[in-house]
Every structure is written in C-alpha cells, then in structure tokens.
Amino acid sequence: MQIRGKVVSISGDVAEVCIIRENTACGSCSACPKKMGVRDITKVAAVKGIQIGQEVVLRDNISWFIKNRIMLVVVAFVLGIILTEATSASISFGPYRGRMDLLVGGILTLIVLIVSWVRKPRYLFRIEQIEGGKT
C-alpha cells in the first residue's frame, strides 16, 4: 500500500508527515474541504536528505511475520505438541504425557509471542520515495 504525504516537521530521527488523500472529493463544490486532500498526520522514521515541505511516498512497515502472527502462534503450539509426541517415543513421560504436550506447546507459543513483540515495528509507515528519488 502506497500513500502520498507531505513532511510537516522533523525532530531528531522522527518526521511528521501529513497524509494526502487523493480522489476523496465529492465534485460538487470548488471550496469543498475534501478537495484539499489533507486529513491525518502520522510519525515515520526520518531519512537522510529529507526536508520540511517535501512530498514523500509512504509504504506500510509491517512485515510478513507480524501480519501472520496468529497463524504462527497456532503453528508453534501444534509444533510443540508434535515435538513432545516425537520425543515421547524415546523418553517416557509416564502419566504426565498430556501435561507435557501442553507445556511444550505453551512454551513455544510464548516464544513466538515474545519474538513477534520484539520485532514489532516502531512506526506504521516508512518513507519509500522523496520527490522522485529512491531512498
């Protein structure tokens, strides 16, 4: 998903970008505020060479890992159960076999949740293009 925006302010490594929404005009009035196109301001990571007032193209900053977090948690739980069942062929867990399945599945689920929390992006968008020049 690409979004156009204009840089409003820069402070340190954070830039505030005003998102320009295109094609939102109703078409009935020349003074309509919808035709101005300015709606929201969002924070993005600043890049070198960016200046206030420049038009930029923003792209979403969410990775495949974060988008599919729920699926990965379910896969980790099932993988933990399969792993425990495979090791139970060589190691006897005795009457605790069912509890060990849930324990290992829960531990792998917890590991996937922690990794997805650590890898979560700081900003929802990143600057992809500055006035025709690639970054």
Side-chain angles (χ1 to χ4, degrees):
M1 178 171 93
Q2 287 186 344
I3 299 173
R4 285 187 43 227
K6 217 170 209 177
V7 179
V8 176
S9 70
I10 303 170
S11 86
D13 62 343
V14 178
E16 287 187 347
V17 176
C18 184
I19 295 175
I20 300 171
R21 306 267 170 126
E22 296 173 342
N23 302 326
T24 59
C26 57
S28 63
C29 174
S30 62
C32 181
K34 289 183 180 179
K35 285 189 178 180
M36 291 171 51
V38 177
R39 291 293 175 112
D40 299 320
I41 293 179
T42 185
K43 293 183 179 184
V44 297
V47 263
K48 241 181 189 179
I50 195 169
Q51 296 174 357
I52 295 175
Q54 280 185 322
E55 278 198 22
V56 293
V57 176
L58 302 175
R59 196 171 222 11
D60 61 343
N61 200 22
I62 300 173
S63 66
W64 179 89
F65 188 79
I66 300 299
K67 285 181 184 175
N68 298 311
R69 183 181 351 192
I70 294 174
M71 182 186 67
L72 289 173
V73 165
V74 171
V75 167
F77 184 77
V78 172
L79 186 65
I81 291 174
I82 291 172
L83 201 83
T84 307
E85 288 295 326
T87 56
S88 69
S90 60
I91 300 171
S92 176
F93 293 125
Y96 302 110
R97 184 174 179 176
R99 294 181 187 157
M100 288 301 289
D101 288 342
L102 293 176
L103 178 69
V104 174
I107 289 172
L108 282 181
T109 300
L110 190 63
I111 289 171
V112 167
L113 283 173
I114 290 171
V115 167
S116 69
W117 179 69
V118 168
R119 291 194 48 148
K120 182 177 67 171
R122 186 172 175 189
Y123 304 107
L124 292 177
F125 298 105
R126 62 181 161 83
I127 296 176
E128 184 179 80
Q129 213 173 27
I130 304 172
E131 290 184 339
K134 286 275 183 186
T135 58

